[in-house]
Amino acid sequence: MHVSKKRHIAKTISYRVVSSLIGFVTIWIISGSVKISTAFGVAELLYKPIQYYIHERVWYRWIRFGLQDKK
């Protein structure tokens, strides 16, 4: 099975949107400040997609855990 890099990018974007919303709401509840939670959300939105994409590619390329050969 071939998995395109576009699939990894799409997963990265969808995961990031959900995670950023959760992070924003969590920080807003904890701090009570929309300004602080927005700053957190923006920083997270910029940095974490890169981190996730690299993580996803490392797993795809070098980690064989959970994969089975086709018979």
Side-chain angles (χ1 to χ4, degrees):
M1 170 185 356
H2 173 73
V3 179
S4 73
K5 289 182 181 180
K6 288 180 182 179
R7 178 178 168 84
H8 293 295
I9 292 170
K11 284 174 62 180
T12 300
I13 292 168
S14 67
Y15 175 81
R16 196 65 255 140
V17 168
V18 171
S19 292
S20 290
L21 286 172
I22 292 169
F24 172 83
V25 170
T26 302
I27 297 299
W28 186 16
I29 290 169
I30 291 169
S31 72
S33 170
V34 172
K35 192 174 185 177
I36 291 172
S37 58
T38 300
F40 175 82
V42 169
E44 190 180 52
L45 193 60
L46 297 174
Y47 166 70
K48 290 213 174 172
I50 296 164
Q51 175 189 354
Y52 179 82
Y53 180 79
I54 292 168
H55 180 264
E56 180 78 14
R57 294 300 298 161
V58 166
W59 266 81
Y60 179 74
R61 186 164 183 179
W62 290 298
I63 299 173
R64 308 311 314 160
F65 178 79
L67 296 178
Q68 298 176 351
D69 292 326
K70 290 184 177 180
K71 294 182 181 186

